Amino acid sequence: MDCAATDWAGSGLACLTGPAGGPPDCSRAAVLAEARRVTADIAELTGVEVDAGAVLAGRAALLGLTRQGRVCPGGATRLLRSADGWCAIALPRADDVAAVPALLGAEDAPVDLWQALSDWTATHSTREVVTRAQLLDIAAAALGEVAAAAPSVRRIDDRSQSRGPDGLLVADLSSLWAGPLCGQLLARAGAVVVKVESPTRPDGTRRGDPAFFDWMNSGKLCYAVDFDKESDALRELLSAADVVIEGSRPGALRRRELSVDDPPARPGRVWLRIGGYAGQPDRPAFGDDAAVAGGLVGDGPVFCGDAIADPLSGLEATRAVLQSLRRGGGELIEVSMAQVAARYAALPRTAPTCDAPVAAPQPPAPLSAASRLGADNAAVRQLVAERLCAPC
């Protein structure tokens, strides 16, 4: 029996891949094996053991998700047949749903939104679907449109001495899954991680099941700051930080003079930028559609895992940051979720069927509750002031 397929079935990932009501799909078993190689590298660099299977299937376990074939486990993204192939459309936000009539060229919202989208997509090429969706800021992807590539690493500043994350200050400006996962793993390795949120637009996962938000953000200092009215305070945090995790569109920070080229940097600062698509910083993306763009799907096609490009990118980003710190830092690291998915999609596939028992996803080890929005503002300001006054 194939050991990789057995591990895939036992991790809960087989429960998240395959047709709705049909047999589980083990064809992507090599994905878990490769993710375990990444977590082994993280353990070697930090001493922190990470369960790759729990990382990839943990959200589904916490939220009670299962496979739905061409509907992603979370329900907000669907694989639709186009006139010349397959594409994914994601509607996780109220604004996305509101934009559907414009996407369809209709005056009113359809009675059955997804049926109308399916009918419309079937008469258009994938290129037409994706291009029109992007104009409306809707996340959409053509199956397999992105080629595999490693994270981009570029020297941008002075190096420091080789170091690990223990005791470093991390400014985590990201939200949802990939970036917060990286911040969580750095926190487990001893870094002081500050989760930065706008008081008017906090991390969207705060509105969902608190178990997932706690899993990603427990142990971080929660700092609420108005990006427009309190930009000076945020600029000071970025100047004091040893690592910055950026998950928003770069233009939003650039307009406020808060991008990688603006705040003065400590020697060896590592700036991590996680986005959906390399070279397309303003293109919206979520974990499920980015996986489809990279071709990481099960037989059918069907969705593979739960928003799998998100946790895979979080793991890859963590390893890249740790390796940069080992080199002395002073680097900009850019991680494209679609390119990460494409790298995993290029791994050898196995037979979709497997004789091993298929286990349900298991929730990760419980963590303490994350801090409420802005709970640690005073502590963060004091920490920043001390670091800016002290020699590097």
Side-chain angles (χ1 to χ4, degrees):
M1 186 179 296
D2 188 309
C3 291
T6 300
D7 288 346
W8 178 266
S11 69
L13 287 162
C15 273
L16 301 172
T17 309
D25 183 343
C26 295
S27 63
R28 292 297 187 177
V31 169
L32 177 57
E34 181 61 24
R36 284 183 169 156
R37 279 187 275 274
V38 178
T39 57
D41 289 343
I42 293 172
E44 182 179 350
L45 291 164
T46 64
V48 175
E49 299 291 335
V50 182
D51 183 338
V55 169
L56 299 185
R59 189 183 82 146
L62 291 171
L63 305 185
L65 307 180
T66 189
R67 64 183 180 279
Q68 301 186 71
R70 291 177 184 151
V71 179
C72 75
T77 307
R78 298 199 182 192
L79 270 163
L80 302 174
R81 188 186 291 275
S82 67
D84 60 355
W86 290 92
C87 60
I89 296 179
L91 303 175
R93 304 167 296 189
D95 287 349
D96 299 324
V97 174
V100 168
L103 180 65
L104 301 176
E107 293 185 4
D108 301 314
V111 175
D112 188 331
L113 180 147
W114 283 112
Q115 185 59 56
L117 277 171
S118 180
D119 294 342
W120 177 80
T121 302
T123 62
H124 293 74
S125 70
T126 52
R127 182 182 179 87
E128 290 173 321
V129 172
V130 172
T131 299
R132 187 168 176 82
Q134 286 182 57
L135 291 174
L136 296 167
D137 202 36
I138 293 174
L143 176 60
E145 66 171 278
V146 173
S152 167
V153 180
R154 177 166 58 90
R155 175 83 175 272
I156 57 171
D157 215 326
D158 295 334
R159 294 193 186 279
S160 180
Q161 61 184 4
S162 177
R163 53 195 170 156
D166 189 30
L168 299 187
L169 177 62
V170 178
D172 181 3
L173 280 65
S174 65
S175 60
L176 303 179
W177 198 349
L181 172 60
C182 178
Q184 175 58 238
L185 295 176
L186 293 175
R188 288 179 57 189
V192 178
V193 180
V194 176
K195 180 169 182 62
V196 181
E197 299 172 88
S198 164
T200 56
R201 295 189 65 182
D203 188 330
T205 55
R206 279 192 184 272
R207 298 191 300 270
D209 191 311
F212 178 64
F213 184 83
D214 291 345
W215 180 34
M216 288 295 102
N217 298 290
S218 174
K220 301 178 184 179
L221 298 173
C222 287
Y223 186 46
V225 55
D226 189 303
F227 282 40
D228 294 312
K229 298 177 182 178
E230 300 174 280
S231 59
D232 287 346
L234 184 51
R235 189 172 294 108
E236 289 180 348
L237 170 62
L238 299 180
S239 295
D242 300 292
V243 177
V244 177
I245 302 173
E246 173 193 331
S248 59
R249 300 178 188 182
L253 294 179
R254 194 176 301 115
R255 288 193 299 272
R256 299 170 172 87
E257 298 184 342
L258 297 170
S259 71
V260 63
D261 300 317
D262 296 313
R266 292 172 65 85
R269 183 179 69 185
V270 176
W271 193 289
L272 169 67
R273 179 178 291 160
I274 301 177
Y277 300 87
Q280 302 180 70
D282 294 322
R283 181 175 175 179
F286 300 94
D288 287 303
D289 55 276
V292 170
L296 185 52
V297 294
D299 280 0
V302 295
F303 283 102
C304 174
D306 170 32
I308 199 165
D310 261 312
L312 288 176
S313 297
L315 291 176
E316 294 279 351
T318 303
R319 179 172 64 176
V321 167
L322 294 170
Q323 290 171 338
S324 179
L325 290 170
R326 180 68 64 91
R327 290 190 295 268
E331 295 176 337
L332 168 65
I333 302 168
E334 297 189 83
V335 175
S336 154
M337 293 197 299
Q339 288 182 335
V340 168
R343 288 173 58 212
Y344 282 83
L347 297 171
R349 299 181 72 156
T350 58
T353 57
C354 175
D355 294 333
V358 174
Q362 295 300 305
L367 295 171
S368 58
S371 297
R372 59 178 175 79
L373 182 66
D376 303 304
N377 277 21
V380 171
R381 292 187 182 115
Q382 182 175 349
L383 176 62
V384 169
E386 291 173 352
R387 288 176 66 87
L388 291 178
C389 291
C392 295

